[in-house]
PDB file of all heavy atoms in Angstrom:
ATOM      1  N   LEU T  55     -34.987  27.193  12.918  1.00 86.00           N
ATOM      2  CA  LEU T  55     -35.453  26.397  11.785  1.00 86.00           C
ATOM      3  C   LEU T  55     -34.262  25.744  11.096  1.00 86.00           C
ATOM      4  O   LEU T  55     -33.291  26.418  10.730  1.00 86.00           O
ATOM      5  CB  LEU T  55     -36.207  27.285  10.788  1.00 86.00           C
ATOM      6  CG  LEU T  55     -36.846  26.572   9.588  1.00 86.00           C
ATOM      7  CD1 LEU T  55     -37.917  25.590  10.060  1.00 86.00           C
ATOM      8  CD2 LEU T  55     -37.436  27.594   8.620  1.00 86.00           C
ATOM      9  N   SER T  56     -34.319  24.405  10.938  1.00 85.00           N
ATOM     10  CA  SER T  56     -33.246  23.668  10.271  1.00 85.00           C
ATOM     11  C   SER T  56     -33.834  22.789   9.176  1.00 85.00           C
ATOM     12  O   SER T  56     -35.012  22.399   9.213  1.00 85.00           O
ATOM     13  CB  SER T  56     -32.465  22.807  11.268  1.00 85.00           C
ATOM     14  OG  SER T  56     -33.306  21.840  11.873  1.00 85.00           O
ATOM     15  N   LEU T  57     -32.996  22.455   8.179  1.00 84.00           N
ATOM     16  CA  LEU T  57     -33.409  21.672   7.010  1.00 84.00           C
ATOM     17  C   LEU T  57     -32.491  20.469   6.871  1.00 84.00           C
ATOM     18  O   LEU T  57     -31.276  20.573   7.056  1.00 84.00           O
ATOM     19  CB  LEU T  57     -33.326  22.551   5.754  1.00 84.00           C
ATOM     20  CG  LEU T  57     -33.578  21.858   4.401  1.00 84.00           C
ATOM     21  CD1 LEU T  57     -35.047  21.439   4.298  1.00 84.00           C
ATOM     22  CD2 LEU T  57     -33.209  22.795   3.254  1.00 84.00           C
ATOM     23  N   ARG T  58     -33.078  19.312   6.513  1.00 82.00           N
ATOM     24  CA  ARG T  58     -32.301  18.089   6.296  1.00 82.00           C
ATOM     25  C   ARG T  58     -32.800  17.402   5.040  1.00 82.00           C
ATOM     26  O   ARG T  58     -34.002  17.226   4.844  1.00 82.00           O
ATOM     27  CB  ARG T  58     -32.424  17.159   7.511  1.00 82.00           C
ATOM     28  CG  ARG T  58     -31.518  15.925   7.415  1.00 82.00           C
ATOM     29  CD  ARG T  58     -31.584  15.057   8.664  1.00 82.00           C
ATOM     30  NE  ARG T  58     -32.815  14.269   8.726  1.00 82.00           N
ATOM     31  CZ  ARG T  58     -33.826  14.528   9.524  1.00 82.00           C
ATOM     32  NH1 ARG T  58     -33.774  15.569  10.343  1.00 82.00           N
ATOM     33  NH2 ARG T  58     -34.896  13.765   9.532  1.00 82.00           N
ATOM     34  N   TYR T  59     -31.852  16.999   4.148  1.00 81.00           N
ATOM     35  CA  TYR T  59     -32.217  16.318   2.905  1.00 81.00           C
ATOM     36  C   TYR T  59     -31.361  15.067   2.789  1.00 81.00           C
ATOM     37  O   TYR T  59     -30.136  15.122   2.883  1.00 81.00           O
ATOM     38  CB  TYR T  59     -31.974  17.223   1.695  1.00 81.00           C
ATOM     39  CG  TYR T  59     -32.305  16.563   0.370  1.00 81.00           C
ATOM     40  CD1 TYR T  59     -33.621  16.246   0.040  1.00 81.00           C
ATOM     41  CD2 TYR T  59     -31.297  16.257  -0.537  1.00 81.00           C
ATOM     42  CE1 TYR T  59     -33.920  15.638  -1.160  1.00 81.00           C
ATOM     43  CE2 TYR T  59     -31.593  15.642  -1.749  1.00 81.00           C
ATOM     44  CZ  TYR T  59     -32.910  15.337  -2.060  1.00 81.00           C
ATOM     45  OH  TYR T  59     -33.217  14.725  -3.246  1.00 81.00           O
ATOM     46  N   GLY T  60     -32.002  13.916   2.612  1.00 80.00           N
ATOM     47  CA  GLY T  60     -31.298  12.647   2.523  1.00 80.00           C
ATOM     48  C   GLY T  60     -31.507  11.974   1.182  1.00 80.00           C
ATOM     49  O   GLY T  60     -32.596  12.008   0.603  1.00 80.00           O
ATOM     50  N   VAL T  61     -30.419  11.370   0.652  1.00 73.00           N
ATOM     51  CA  VAL T  61     -30.449  10.649  -0.616  1.00 73.00           C
ATOM     52  C   VAL T  61     -30.064   9.202  -0.347  1.00 73.00           C
ATOM     53  O   VAL T  61     -28.990   8.938   0.211  1.00 73.00           O
ATOM     54  CB  VAL T  61     -29.475  11.270  -1.644  1.00 73.00           C
ATOM     55  CG1 VAL T  61     -29.505  10.484  -2.943  1.00 73.00           C
ATOM     56  CG2 VAL T  61     -29.829  12.722  -1.894  1.00 73.00           C
ATOM     57  N   GLY T  62     -30.931   8.244  -0.697  1.00 73.00           N
ATOM     58  CA  GLY T  62     -30.625   6.838  -0.486  1.00 73.00           C
ATOM     59  C   GLY T  62     -29.473   6.374  -1.359  1.00 73.00           C
ATOM     60  O   GLY T  62     -29.381   6.738  -2.532  1.00 73.00           O
ATOM     61  N   VAL T  63     -28.563   5.586  -0.777  1.00 61.00           N
ATOM     62  CA  VAL T  63     -27.431   5.068  -1.543  1.00 61.00           C
ATOM     63  C   VAL T  63     -27.828   3.814  -2.303  1.00 61.00           C
ATOM     64  O   VAL T  63     -27.540   3.659  -3.488  1.00 61.00           O
ATOM     65  CB  VAL T  63     -26.239   4.774  -0.599  1.00 61.00           C
ATOM     66  CG1 VAL T  63     -25.100   4.104  -1.359  1.00 61.00           C
ATOM     67  CG2 VAL T  63     -25.756   6.070   0.039  1.00 61.00           C
ATOM     68  N   PHE T  64     -28.539   2.902  -1.662  1.00 60.00           N
ATOM     69  CA  PHE T  64     -28.913   1.639  -2.300  1.00 60.00           C
ATOM     70  C   PHE T  64     -30.393   1.575  -2.652  1.00 60.00           C
ATOM     71  O   PHE T  64     -30.787   0.796  -3.515  1.00 60.00           O
ATOM     72  CB  PHE T  64     -28.560   0.455  -1.373  1.00 60.00           C
ATOM     73  CG  PHE T  64     -27.111   0.427  -0.983  1.00 60.00           C
ATOM     74  CD1 PHE T  64     -26.726   0.639   0.331  1.00 60.00           C
ATOM     75  CD2 PHE T  64     -26.132   0.210  -1.922  1.00 60.00           C
ATOM     76  CE1 PHE T  64     -25.389   0.624   0.682  1.00 60.00           C
ATOM     77  CE2 PHE T  64     -24.796   0.192  -1.575  1.00 60.00           C
ATOM     78  CZ  PHE T  64     -24.424   0.398  -0.265  1.00 60.00           C
ATOM     79  N   GLU T  65     -31.208   2.357  -1.984  1.00 67.00           N
ATOM     80  CA  GLU T  65     -32.639   2.355  -2.245  1.00 67.00           C
ATOM     81  C   GLU T  65     -33.057   3.710  -2.795  1.00 67.00           C
ATOM     82  O   GLU T  65     -32.572   4.754  -2.338  1.00 67.00           O
ATOM     83  CB  GLU T  65     -33.415   2.051  -0.954  1.00 67.00           C
ATOM     84  CG  GLU T  65     -33.133   0.660  -0.395  1.00 67.00           C
ATOM     85  CD  GLU T  65     -33.916   0.417   0.888  1.00 67.00           C
ATOM     86  OE1 GLU T  65     -34.478   1.394   1.425  1.00 67.00           O
ATOM     87  OE2 GLU T  65     -33.951  -0.734   1.341  1.00 67.00           O
ATOM     88  N   PRO T  66     -33.946   3.730  -3.795  1.00 66.00           N
ATOM     89  CA  PRO T  66     -34.381   4.995  -4.409  1.00 66.00           C
ATOM     90  C   PRO T  66     -35.361   5.747  -3.503  1.00 66.00           C
ATOM     91  O   PRO T  66     -36.531   5.919  -3.840  1.00 66.00           O
ATOM     92  CB  PRO T  66     -35.035   4.544  -5.707  1.00 66.00           C
ATOM     93  CG  PRO T  66     -35.559   3.177  -5.407  1.00 66.00           C
ATOM     94  CD  PRO T  66     -34.583   2.551  -4.447  1.00 66.00           C
ATOM     95  N   ALA T  67     -34.851   6.186  -2.361  1.00 70.00           N
ATOM     96  CA  ALA T  67     -35.716   6.864  -1.389  1.00 70.00           C
ATOM     97  C   ALA T  67     -35.049   8.157  -0.947  1.00 70.00           C
ATOM     98  O   ALA T  67     -33.955   8.131  -0.398  1.00 70.00           O
ATOM     99  CB  ALA T  67     -35.973   5.960  -0.186  1.00 70.00           C
ATOM    100  N   ASN T  68     -35.732   9.269  -1.243  1.00 77.00           N
ATOM    101  CA  ASN T  68     -35.247  10.573  -0.816  1.00 77.00           C
ATOM    102  C   ASN T  68     -36.157  11.109   0.279  1.00 77.00           C
ATOM    103  O   ASN T  68     -37.376  10.905   0.239  1.00 77.00           O
ATOM    104  CB  ASN T  68     -35.219  11.564  -1.987  1.00 77.00           C
ATOM    105  CG  ASN T  68     -34.313  11.078  -3.109  1.00 77.00           C
ATOM    106  OD1 ASN T  68     -33.454  10.232  -2.893  1.00 77.00           O
ATOM    107  ND2 ASN T  68     -34.517  11.610  -4.304  1.00 77.00           N
ATOM    108  N   THR T  69     -35.567  11.807   1.243  1.00 83.00           N
ATOM    109  CA  THR T  69     -36.361  12.384   2.326  1.00 83.00           C
ATOM    110  C   THR T  69     -35.961  13.833   2.510  1.00 83.00           C
ATOM    111  O   THR T  69     -34.797  14.202   2.317  1.00 83.00           O
ATOM    112  CB  THR T  69     -36.132  11.628   3.660  1.00 83.00           C
ATOM    113  OG1 THR T  69     -34.748  11.696   4.008  1.00 83.00           O
ATOM    114  CG2 THR T  69     -36.565  10.177   3.546  1.00 83.00           C
ATOM    115  N   ILE T  70     -36.934  14.658   2.864  1.00 83.00           N
ATOM    116  CA  ILE T  70     -36.673  16.049   3.202  1.00 83.00           C
ATOM    117  C   ILE T  70     -37.444  16.374   4.474  1.00 83.00           C
ATOM    118  O   ILE T  70     -38.581  15.918   4.654  1.00 83.00           O
ATOM    119  CB  ILE T  70     -37.079  17.000   2.048  1.00 83.00           C
ATOM    120  CG1 ILE T  70     -36.673  18.436   2.390  1.00 83.00           C
ATOM    121  CG2 ILE T  70     -38.562  16.909   1.730  1.00 83.00           C
ATOM    122  CD1 ILE T  70     -36.796  19.393   1.219  1.00 83.00           C
ATOM    123  N   ALA T  71     -36.812  17.089   5.379  1.00 86.00           N
ATOM    124  CA  ALA T  71     -37.437  17.358   6.670  1.00 86.00           C
ATOM    125  C   ALA T  71     -37.117  18.780   7.107  1.00 86.00           C
ATOM    126  O   ALA T  71     -36.005  19.267   6.919  1.00 86.00           O
ATOM    127  CB  ALA T  71     -36.950  16.358   7.723  1.00 86.00           C
ATOM    128  N   LEU T  72     -38.119  19.434   7.678  1.00 87.00           N
ATOM    129  CA  LEU T  72     -37.970  20.743   8.291  1.00 87.00           C
ATOM    130  C   LEU T  72     -38.207  20.594   9.793  1.00 87.00           C
ATOM    131  O   LEU T  72     -39.190  19.968  10.198  1.00 87.00           O
ATOM    132  CB  LEU T  72     -38.961  21.750   7.706  1.00 87.00           C
ATOM    133  CG  LEU T  72     -38.588  22.408   6.384  1.00 87.00           C
ATOM    134  CD1 LEU T  72     -39.768  23.208   5.848  1.00 87.00           C
ATOM    135  CD2 LEU T  72     -37.381  23.317   6.545  1.00 87.00           C
ATOM    136  N   ARG T  73     -37.317  21.151  10.589  1.00 87.00           N
ATOM    137  CA  ARG T  73     -37.441  21.034  12.042  1.00 87.00           C
ATOM    138  C   ARG T  73     -37.478  22.448  12.635  1.00 87.00           C
ATOM    139  O   ARG T  73     -36.626  23.285  12.326  1.00 87.00           O
ATOM    140  CB  ARG T  73     -36.269  20.256  12.616  1.00 87.00           C
ATOM    141  CG  ARG T  73     -36.258  20.175  14.135  1.00 87.00           C
ATOM    142  CD  ARG T  73     -35.096  19.350  14.630  1.00 87.00           C
ATOM    143  NE  ARG T  73     -35.237  17.949  14.237  1.00 87.00           N
ATOM    144  CZ  ARG T  73     -34.363  16.990  14.574  1.00 87.00           C
ATOM    145  NH1 ARG T  73     -33.305  17.290  15.300  1.00 87.00           N
ATOM    146  NH2 ARG T  73     -34.556  15.748  14.177  1.00 87.00           N
ATOM    147  N   TYR T  74     -38.475  22.683  13.496  1.00 89.00           N
ATOM    148  CA  TYR T  74     -38.630  23.988  14.146  1.00 89.00           C
ATOM    149  C   TYR T  74     -38.528  23.794  15.647  1.00 89.00           C
ATOM    150  O   TYR T  74     -39.247  22.983  16.237  1.00 89.00           O
ATOM    151  CB  TYR T  74     -39.980  24.624  13.789  1.00 89.00           C
ATOM    152  CG  TYR T  74     -40.130  26.032  14.333  1.00 89.00           C
ATOM    153  CD1 TYR T  74     -39.538  27.102  13.689  1.00 89.00           C
ATOM    154  CD2 TYR T  74     -40.851  26.287  15.501  1.00 89.00           C
ATOM    155  CE1 TYR T  74     -39.658  28.397  14.179  1.00 89.00           C
ATOM    156  CE2 TYR T  74     -40.980  27.569  16.010  1.00 89.00           C
ATOM    157  CZ  TYR T  74     -40.379  28.626  15.340  1.00 89.00           C
ATOM    158  OH  TYR T  74     -40.492  29.894  15.831  1.00 89.00           O
ATOM    159  N   LYS T  75     -37.604  24.522  16.277  1.00 89.00           N
ATOM    160  CA  LYS T  75     -37.358  24.390  17.709  1.00 89.00           C
ATOM    161  C   LYS T  75     -38.362  25.264  18.470  1.00 89.00           C
ATOM    162  O   LYS T  75     -38.385  26.490  18.335  1.00 89.00           O
ATOM    163  CB  LYS T  75     -35.936  24.822  18.036  1.00 89.00           C
ATOM    164  CG  LYS T  75     -35.550  24.592  19.494  1.00 89.00           C
ATOM    165  CD  LYS T  75     -34.164  25.149  19.796  1.00 89.00           C
ATOM    166  CE  LYS T  75     -33.095  24.411  19.016  1.00 89.00           C
ATOM    167  NZ  LYS T  75     -31.743  24.911  19.398  1.00 89.00           N
ATOM    168  N   LEU T  76     -39.205  24.602  19.263  1.00 88.00           N
ATOM    169  CA  LEU T  76     -40.164  25.325  20.090  1.00 88.00           C
ATOM    170  C   LEU T  76     -39.539  25.775  21.401  1.00 88.00           C
ATOM    171  O   LEU T  76     -39.876  26.829  21.940  1.00 88.00           O
ATOM    172  CB  LEU T  76     -41.385  24.441  20.365  1.00 88.00           C
ATOM    173  CG  LEU T  76     -42.176  24.002  19.108  1.00 88.00           C
ATOM    174  CD1 LEU T  76     -43.285  23.034  19.499  1.00 88.00           C
ATOM    175  CD2 LEU T  76     -42.741  25.205  18.381  1.00 88.00           C
ATOM    176  N   SER T  77     -38.632  24.961  21.945  1.00 86.00           N
ATOM    177  CA  SER T  77     -37.895  25.296  23.152  1.00 86.00           C
ATOM    178  C   SER T  77     -36.594  24.496  23.124  1.00 86.00           C
ATOM    179  O   SER T  77     -36.280  23.854  22.123  1.00 86.00           O
ATOM    180  CB  SER T  77     -38.718  24.962  24.412  1.00 86.00           C
ATOM    181  OG  SER T  77     -38.868  23.564  24.542  1.00 86.00           O
ATOM    182  N   LYS T  78     -35.848  24.527  24.223  1.00 83.00           N
ATOM    183  CA  LYS T  78     -34.586  23.798  24.248  1.00 83.00           C
ATOM    184  C   LYS T  78     -34.795  22.296  24.146  1.00 83.00           C
ATOM    185  O   LYS T  78     -33.929  21.574  23.666  1.00 83.00           O
ATOM    186  CB  LYS T  78     -33.816  24.129  25.543  1.00 83.00           C
ATOM    187  CG  LYS T  78     -33.288  25.553  25.583  1.00 83.00           C
ATOM    188  CD  LYS T  78     -32.461  25.771  26.841  1.00 83.00           C
ATOM    189  CE  LYS T  78     -31.878  27.179  26.874  1.00 83.00           C
ATOM    190  NZ  LYS T  78     -31.058  27.424  28.087  1.00 83.00           N
ATOM    191  N   LYS T  79     -35.954  21.800  24.604  1.00 87.00           N
ATOM    192  CA  LYS T  79     -36.183  20.352  24.650  1.00 87.00           C
ATOM    193  C   LYS T  79     -37.287  19.877  23.723  1.00 87.00           C
ATOM    194  O   LYS T  79     -37.432  18.679  23.516  1.00 87.00           O
ATOM    195  CB  LYS T  79     -36.511  19.928  26.088  1.00 87.00           C
ATOM    196  CG  LYS T  79     -35.373  20.154  27.076  1.00 87.00           C
ATOM    197  CD  LYS T  79     -35.735  19.641  28.461  1.00 87.00           C
ATOM    198  CE  LYS T  79     -34.571  19.844  29.438  1.00 87.00           C
ATOM    199  NZ  LYS T  79     -34.896  19.340  30.792  1.00 87.00           N
ATOM    200  N   VAL T  80     -38.075  20.783  23.161  1.00 90.00           N
ATOM    201  CA  VAL T  80     -39.218  20.385  22.333  1.00 90.00           C
ATOM    202  C   VAL T  80     -39.061  20.995  20.944  1.00 90.00           C
ATOM    203  O   VAL T  80     -38.759  22.190  20.806  1.00 90.00           O
ATOM    204  CB  VAL T  80     -40.556  20.856  22.966  1.00 90.00           C
ATOM    205  CG1 VAL T  80     -41.725  20.440  22.092  1.00 90.00           C
ATOM    206  CG2 VAL T  80     -40.710  20.278  24.364  1.00 90.00           C
ATOM    207  N   TYR T  81     -39.245  20.147  19.901  1.00 90.00           N
ATOM    208  CA  TYR T  81     -39.214  20.685  18.550  1.00 90.00           C
ATOM    209  C   TYR T  81     -40.249  19.963  17.682  1.00 90.00           C
ATOM    210  O   TYR T  81     -40.666  18.820  17.958  1.00 90.00           O
ATOM    211  CB  TYR T  81     -37.812  20.593  17.936  1.00 90.00           C
ATOM    212  CG  TYR T  81     -37.191  19.220  17.935  1.00 90.00           C
ATOM    213  CD1 TYR T  81     -37.429  18.315  16.913  1.00 90.00           C
ATOM    214  CD2 TYR T  81     -36.323  18.831  18.970  1.00 90.00           C
ATOM    215  CE1 TYR T  81     -36.838  17.075  16.905  1.00 90.00           C
ATOM    216  CE2 TYR T  81     -35.733  17.584  18.979  1.00 90.00           C
ATOM    217  CZ  TYR T  81     -35.990  16.707  17.934  1.00 90.00           C
ATOM    218  OH  TYR T  81     -35.411  15.472  17.937  1.00 90.00           O
ATOM    219  N   LEU T  82     -40.637  20.645  16.627  1.00 90.00           N
ATOM    220  CA  LEU T  82     -41.652  20.176  15.687  1.00 90.00           C
ATOM    221  C   LEU T  82     -40.963  19.840  14.376  1.00 90.00           C
ATOM    222  O   LEU T  82     -40.145  20.617  13.881  1.00 90.00           O
ATOM    223  CB  LEU T  82     -42.708  21.266  15.481  1.00 90.00           C
ATOM    224  CG  LEU T  82     -43.892  20.941  14.567  1.00 90.00           C
ATOM    225  CD1 LEU T  82     -44.805  19.921  15.226  1.00 90.00           C
ATOM    226  CD2 LEU T  82     -44.673  22.224  14.263  1.00 90.00           C
ATOM    227  N   GLU T  83     -41.274  18.667  13.779  1.00 88.00           N
ATOM    228  CA  GLU T  83     -40.618  18.248  12.541  1.00 88.00           C
ATOM    229  C   GLU T  83     -41.644  17.766  11.529  1.00 88.00           C
ATOM    230  O   GLU T  83     -42.495  16.927  11.838  1.00 88.00           O
ATOM    231  CB  GLU T  83     -39.594  17.146  12.813  1.00 88.00           C
ATOM    232  CG  GLU T  83     -38.839  16.701  11.561  1.00 88.00           C
ATOM    233  CD  GLU T  83     -37.748  15.698  11.873  1.00 88.00           C
ATOM    234  OE1 GLU T  83     -36.659  16.126  12.307  1.00 88.00           O
ATOM    235  OE2 GLU T  83     -37.989  14.492  11.700  1.00 88.00           O
ATOM    236  N   ALA T  84     -41.520  18.330  10.301  1.00 89.00           N
ATOM    237  CA  ALA T  84     -42.345  17.897   9.175  1.00 89.00           C
ATOM    238  C   ALA T  84     -41.435  17.209   8.187  1.00 89.00           C
ATOM    239  O   ALA T  84     -40.438  17.788   7.730  1.00 89.00           O
ATOM    240  CB  ALA T  84     -43.041  19.092   8.537  1.00 89.00           C
ATOM    241  N   ALA T  85     -41.738  15.944   7.850  1.00 85.00           N
ATOM    242  CA  ALA T  85     -40.877  15.150   6.978  1.00 85.00           C
ATOM    243  C   ALA T  85     -41.699  14.614   5.812  1.00 85.00           C
ATOM    244  O   ALA T  85     -42.886  14.284   5.948  1.00 85.00           O
ATOM    245  CB  ALA T  85     -40.252  13.988   7.757  1.00 85.00           C
ATOM    246  N   SER T  86     -41.041  14.509   4.640  1.00 82.00           N
ATOM    247  CA  SER T  86     -41.678  13.979   3.440  1.00 82.00           C
ATOM    248  C   SER T  86     -40.711  13.033   2.772  1.00 82.00           C
ATOM    249  O   SER T  86     -39.531  13.351   2.607  1.00 82.00           O
ATOM    250  CB  SER T  86     -42.061  15.118   2.488  1.00 82.00           C
ATOM    251  OG  SER T  86     -42.597  14.605   1.297  1.00 82.00           O
ATOM    252  N   GLY T  87     -41.161  11.851   2.398  1.00 76.00           N
ATOM    253  CA  GLY T  87     -40.328  10.857   1.743  1.00 76.00           C
ATOM    254  C   GLY T  87     -41.196   9.690   1.334  1.00 76.00           C
ATOM    255  O   GLY T  87     -42.225   9.856   0.661  1.00 76.00           O
ATOM    256  N   VAL T  88     -40.798   8.464   1.725  1.00 71.00           N
ATOM    257  CA  VAL T  88     -41.644   7.296   1.488  1.00 71.00           C
ATOM    258  C   VAL T  88     -42.985   7.499   2.171  1.00 71.00           C
ATOM    259  O   VAL T  88     -44.045   7.152   1.643  1.00 71.00           O
ATOM    260  CB  VAL T  88     -40.934   6.026   2.018  1.00 71.00           C
ATOM    261  CG1 VAL T  88     -41.829   4.810   1.831  1.00 71.00           C
ATOM    262  CG2 VAL T  88     -39.608   5.836   1.299  1.00 71.00           C
ATOM    263  N   ALA T  89     -42.963   8.095   3.335  1.00 76.00           N
ATOM    264  CA  ALA T  89     -44.190   8.451   4.042  1.00 76.00           C
ATOM    265  C   ALA T  89     -44.019   9.854   4.601  1.00 76.00           C
ATOM    266  O   ALA T  89     -42.928  10.230   5.036  1.00 76.00           O
ATOM    267  CB  ALA T  89     -44.476   7.454   5.160  1.00 76.00           C
ATOM    268  N   SER T  90     -45.100  10.644   4.571  1.00 83.00           N
ATOM    269  CA  SER T  90     -45.056  11.997   5.119  1.00 83.00           C
ATOM    270  C   SER T  90     -45.530  11.980   6.562  1.00 83.00           C
ATOM    271  O   SER T  90     -46.376  11.169   6.940  1.00 83.00           O
ATOM    272  CB  SER T  90     -45.937  12.936   4.283  1.00 83.00           C
ATOM    273  OG  SER T  90     -45.463  12.977   2.953  1.00 83.00           O
ATOM    274  N   SER T  91     -44.964  12.898   7.352  1.00 86.00           N
ATOM    275  CA  SER T  91     -45.324  12.893   8.768  1.00 86.00           C
ATOM    276  C   SER T  91     -45.149  14.284   9.354  1.00 86.00           C
ATOM    277  O   SER T  91     -44.416  15.122   8.808  1.00 86.00           O
ATOM    278  CB  SER T  91     -44.459  11.896   9.560  1.00 86.00           C
ATOM    279  OG  SER T  91     -43.112  12.286   9.502  1.00 86.00           O
ATOM    280  N   LEU T  92     -45.844  14.519  10.449  1.00 88.00           N
ATOM    281  CA  LEU T  92     -45.691  15.730  11.245  1.00 88.00           C
ATOM    282  C   LEU T  92     -45.606  15.279  12.695  1.00 88.00           C
ATOM    283  O   LEU T  92     -46.552  14.698  13.221  1.00 88.00           O
ATOM    284  CB  LEU T  92     -46.874  16.685  11.040  1.00 88.00           C
ATOM    285  CG  LEU T  92     -46.822  17.978  11.864  1.00 88.00           C
ATOM    286  CD1 LEU T  92     -45.617  18.823  11.439  1.00 88.00           C
ATOM    287  CD2 LEU T  92     -48.113  18.775  11.702  1.00 88.00           C
ATOM    288  N   ASP T  93     -44.437  15.508  13.334  1.00 89.00           N
ATOM    289  CA  ASP T  93     -44.201  14.952  14.666  1.00 89.00           C
ATOM    290  C   ASP T  93     -43.746  16.043  15.623  1.00 89.00           C
ATOM    291  O   ASP T  93     -43.153  17.050  15.221  1.00 89.00           O
ATOM    292  CB  ASP T  93     -43.113  13.870  14.628  1.00 89.00           C
ATOM    293  CG  ASP T  93     -43.466  12.736  13.677  1.00 89.00           C
ATOM    294  OD1 ASP T  93     -44.393  11.982  13.994  1.00 89.00           O
ATOM    295  OD2 ASP T  93     -42.804  12.638  12.623  1.00 89.00           O
ATOM    296  N   ILE T  94     -44.050  15.809  16.908  1.00 92.00           N
ATOM    297  CA  ILE T  94     -43.529  16.647  17.979  1.00 92.00           C
ATOM    298  C   ILE T  94     -42.571  15.770  18.798  1.00 92.00           C
ATOM    299  O   ILE T  94     -42.933  14.687  19.250  1.00 92.00           O
ATOM    300  CB  ILE T  94     -44.654  17.180  18.883  1.00 92.00           C
ATOM    301  CG1 ILE T  94     -45.556  18.144  18.088  1.00 92.00           C
ATOM    302  CG2 ILE T  94     -44.080  17.911  20.079  1.00 92.00           C
ATOM    303  CD1 ILE T  94     -46.703  18.704  18.888  1.00 92.00           C
ATOM    304  N   PHE T  95     -41.324  16.248  18.971  1.00 90.00           N
ATOM    305  CA  PHE T  95     -40.311  15.493  19.683  1.00 90.00           C
ATOM    306  C   PHE T  95     -39.969  16.193  21.002  1.00 90.00           C
ATOM    307  O   PHE T  95     -39.895  17.421  21.045  1.00 90.00           O
ATOM    308  CB  PHE T  95     -39.030  15.371  18.837  1.00 90.00           C
ATOM    309  CG  PHE T  95     -39.175  14.474  17.650  1.00 90.00           C
ATOM    310  CD1 PHE T  95     -39.597  14.982  16.421  1.00 90.00           C
ATOM    311  CD2 PHE T  95     -38.879  13.125  17.733  1.00 90.00           C
ATOM    312  CE1 PHE T  95     -39.723  14.155  15.333  1.00 90.00           C
ATOM    313  CE2 PHE T  95     -39.012  12.280  16.639  1.00 90.00           C
ATOM    314  CZ  PHE T  95     -39.435  12.810  15.428  1.00 90.00           C
TER     315      PHE T  95
END
């Protein structure tokens, strides 16, 4: 489980994302910011 938090320098846009590794090549990521999403990579 890893965490990423981004702060916009020029645009008032903050993002936060949680990534969970299912295997060496597949991981699940939940992100919230301008738009929220749940993706499998």
Side-chain angles (χ1 to χ4, degrees):
L55 184 63
S56 61
L57 174 69
R58 186 176 76 254
Y59 179 68
V61 179
V63 174
F64 304 113
E65 296 179 349
N68 300 340
T69 59
I70 185 169
L72 278 171
R73 176 178 294 182
Y74 185 79
K75 185 185 295 184
L76 299 175
S77 68
K78 290 184 178 180
K79 296 183 179 181
V80 180
Y81 54 86
L82 182 70
E83 182 175 279
S86 176
V88 178
S90 299
S91 63
L92 179 64
D93 302 290
I94 294 179
F95 290 90

